[in-house]
Amino acid sequence: MVKFSKELEAQLIPEWKDAFVNYWHLKKIVKKIKLTQKTQQTQQDHSHDFGLSIFDSARYVLKIFTNRFSSSEHKNEIIQVRSKNGGEEDLNGNDLVQLFSLDDQVKEFFEILDDELNKVNMFYKTKENEFVERGEMLNKQLDILLDLKKLINSRRRKHNQSRKDAFGLLPRSNSLVQTTANYSESGSELEETLSSTTSSPTSDIVSATERNVVMNFNGSPARSPSKSSKIGNKPKTMGMRIDIPATTPTRTITALTSMLWEDLVNNPKKEGPGDFIYRKKIQCAEKMIRGAFVELYRGLGLLKTYSSLNMVAFVKILKKFDKVSNRSSENYMKVVKRSHFISSDKVVRLGDEVESIFTKHFTDNDRKKAMKYLRPQQNKDTHMLTFLVGLFTGCFVTLFIVYAILVHFSGMFTSQVGYMQTVYPIFSIFALLSLHLFLYGCNLYMWKSKRINYNFIFELSPSTELKYRDVFLICTSLMTAVVGAMVVHLLLGSMVIVPHGLDAIPAFLLILSTGFLICPFNVFYRPSRYYFLRVMRNIICSPFYKVVMVDFFMADQLTSQIPLLRHMESTACYIFAECFKTHDYATCHSSKLYRELAYVISFMPYYWRAMQCARRWFDEGETSHLANLGKYVSAMVAAGARLTFAMQPTRFWWIVVIISTSVATIYQLYWDFVKDWGLLNKKCKHPWLRDELILKNKSVYFGSIALNLVLRLAWIESILHLKMGAIEYRLVDFLLASLEIFRRGHWNFYRLENEHLSNVGKFRAVNMVPLPFCDVEFDA
């Protein structure tokens, strides 16, 4: 049977851990009480064994009598559940809890229990109020959305009316039609209804302002009274604006293009471009509101879990206390049951209302479909998945041993330089990618075991997320296919059966893998594959949209995969230049275009990451993002210097490489340790680390700092002028690339640990989806 302490640790919400009842501390106090009673009992038994004098016997009997008499009097001794807010909120009213002993440890137990009960109630009430307010805001947003959709449908039905009928009564100066709205409170806590007014002749007209895209409509419910103000001699009127954040390139293009259609009102066509853009904005707004409802429902579910787990914790700890002290705490249990976090039903009623609203307006009264959005089911791990991982791992090891034996006896690495020119780049792509996937699978396993909520940080869907077993399956199956292709390539090469088509095997493997990546059928983890493609699209379009965590995290991974990108360049040149026909392997490396593209490819990951920093500074206004941008600019300079030195190994470029790379390395190390990991804080709970640590062994953090430092200095090999052959150079290059990927996988764990602890410190367990409609003032 699993102990409740372990069950609580496994089920509690990680971001709200500090707000839960401290069951473990209370359990320690109960153990102290038990230990004290055992000690007293042992002393009493020892006195009986050696006999008691008449005086001692009389004193012992008197003590027992006094204790019993005292115990009956102590039934009237009381301790009250205290409120920490100075009596502003008395959690239990005039309820008092009777104690049957004034022992210091028992008093300490109930005092701490009071503090924990107050803490739980205060946190629950705070979150409950936040969710109720959020629900009211969402209902207002939904009412505006429904009203806008009615207006659009009305306009589309009247598209055959002439320009005179539609716009003749509207002066040109009034192309911005004002909108007002009045929301009246209903009896429900979430439901609010729009009060209707008389519609004007132009009730179906919707227009957009020039730059701020203010969407106004006349004939919608008017505010009562209408909100207007006069600044100087110009009256100001409240209007409504659709604010669609540019979180994707599609939304950005829609927002930019909408500014070009200022004559939306004057367009009498049924399907004008302005109408299309306007409808797209409404669709984006509907998607945002739908996502906000889903997050609200998830937050309500977390709050219900918080309430139930805390209730069970109080019940368990009071039962332990009763068992140890041989007393009853029923009166205290009554107080707990009447506490706000148990007695309040606002969360339950709000959850039911969200379900009904979501089902009605977003799934056409299809409750089953609505529950797929509101309660997504996680894919369960199967034994077949574990079996396949083991099977492919065994196949990979076996094929690799066979490959090593064939290479040794055929002398492929020593006798055929062309083998390294053709096969090495393509197979290195798969090897480096598989290594990165393997380390990512290890990251997922460690994050899950240490209760780091990576799903929330990356905003992954529970129904489509990749678990560590899935990643290991992809990694092992990919490497099995790659090593199998390498073995077949060697065997056919030794037989000289198809000399001209032999080099097509690696290219065929590359094309097949690309086909699997973009395969439109719902096989081979299609949701995850397409999610990866969308993230890559977002990275490429970095300056034009708002950057989220998963985007810049993936861009950081790309900065460690520059050797892989260079191998892709070599492979593309080898295929498109048809070097496999002429076997002229120097064609690519001697090309000027190839050398120029090498600079572009080396700069691209750093450039994308720098643009993300620039966009974050533009959106958030924090100068730390500009400092982070400087780090990637320094990395670009260092990468360009090393590449130039590889082509022109002169003394001047050797000095430039040392200076630029040293500056970039120091910059990167500081950012790794201080900003990304949050370490090296000497004035904290754990000196030179940070206040909160997930790993219990502090030496692991110091070892990780040293390891990251050593791996960051791997570039020193490029300036040592080591004399190596072509094959040895390739192997060393592959080793250094593998070490950088290993460093990145090692960096990933601590980066997400720091992000998770930041969420824990802010009790942030639910995403606050931005809402599309907001009030604005404009000239009347």
Side-chain angles (χ1 to χ4, degrees), residues 19 33 112 219 240 245 319 328 332 473 534 587 648 653 669 684:
I33 296 174
I112 295 177
M240 193 65 62
K319 282 184 178 180
S328 175
Y332 199 102
L473 177 61
R534 286 194 299 270
T587 302
Q648 305 174 21
W653 285 111
L669 287 173
C684 64

Side-chain angles (χ1 to χ4, degrees), residues 155-160 267-276 279:
R155 180 179 180 180
R156 294 183 66 183
R157 285 193 301 267
K158 297 178 180 180
H159 70 276
N160 291 326
N267 190 354
K269 296 180 181 180
K270 176 182 178 181
E271 291 292 333
D275 297 312
F276 174 76
R279 289 201 312 275

Side-chain angles (χ1 to χ4, degrees), residues 373-591:
Y373 283 102
L374 297 176
R375 301 177 187 173
Q377 299 295 324
Q378 292 187 350
N379 296 325
K380 295 182 179 180
D381 294 331
T382 62
H383 295 295
M384 178 58 68
L385 197 62
T386 307
F387 169 76
L388 291 176
V389 171
L391 176 65
F392 283 119
T393 302
C395 292
F396 162 68
V397 173
T398 303
L399 288 172
F400 187 79
I401 293 174
V402 172
Y403 174 77
I405 294 173
L406 291 175
V407 167
H408 175 72
F409 285 106
S410 63
M412 189 66 68
F413 283 166
T414 57
S415 60
Q416 298 187 22
V417 179
Y419 181 82
M420 295 298 293
Q421 297 287 344
T422 57
V423 176
Y424 167 78
I426 297 180
F427 287 147
S428 293
I429 293 173
F430 291 105
L432 295 175
L433 180 61
S434 300
L435 178 61
H436 212 141
L437 284 172
F438 173 76
L439 292 173
Y440 178 65
C442 294
N443 288 148
L444 293 179
Y445 175 79
M446 289 298 298
W447 291 333
K448 182 179 179 180
S449 62
K450 297 303 178 183
R451 300 280 291 162
I452 295 176
N453 196 354
Y454 63 91
N455 282 337
F456 171 70
I457 295 173
F458 291 143
E459 301 180 20
L460 300 176
S461 173
S463 59
T464 59
E465 61 160 325
L466 282 180
K467 299 178 181 175
Y468 70 92
R469 288 189 179 90
D470 299 311
V471 177
F472 286 151
L473 177 61
I474 296 172
C475 172
T476 53
S477 59
L478 179 62
M479 282 310 300
T480 300
V482 170
V483 179
M486 293 169 67
V487 170
V488 172
H489 185 272
L490 270 181
L491 291 174
L492 294 179
S494 61
M495 297 177 184
V496 200
I497 299 177
V498 282
H500 295 290
L502 185 63
D503 293 338
I505 294 177
F508 174 76
L509 183 63
L510 183 62
I511 294 172
L512 185 64
S513 301
T514 305
F516 280 141
L517 180 62
I518 62 177
C519 178
F521 301 108
N522 193 14
V523 292
F524 304 116
Y525 302 103
R526 186 184 68 173
S528 300
R529 289 188 285 109
Y530 278 31
Y531 182 76
F532 169 76
L533 293 176
R534 286 194 299 270
V535 171
M536 292 301 298
R537 176 204 63 185
N538 295 346
I539 292 173
I540 296 172
C541 302
S542 295
F544 307 111
Y545 78 106
K546 185 177 180 180
V547 182
V548 295
M549 175 71 186
V550 67
D551 295 332
F552 62 79
F553 185 84
M554 180 62 72
D556 280 327
Q557 311 305 307
L558 291 179
T559 60
S560 296
Q561 286 286 14
I562 293 177
L564 183 146
L565 298 177
R566 292 291 309 279
H567 290 321
M568 292 180 67
E569 178 196 14
S570 301
T571 302
C573 180
Y574 179 77
I575 294 174
F576 291 112
E578 298 183 349
C579 296
F580 58 90
K581 293 182 179 179
T582 61
H583 296 282
D584 185 6
Y585 306 113
T587 302
C588 291
H589 297 280
S590 60
S591 171

Side-chain angles (χ1 to χ4, degrees), residues 120 125 679:
V120 170
K125 193 165 188 178
L679 303 177

Side-chain angles (χ1 to χ4, degrees), residues 149-161:
K149 292 175 73 173
K150 289 179 182 178
L151 292 173
I152 293 176
N153 293 333
S154 176
R155 180 179 180 180
R156 294 183 66 183
R157 285 193 301 267
K158 297 178 180 180
H159 70 276
N160 291 326
Q161 293 181 357

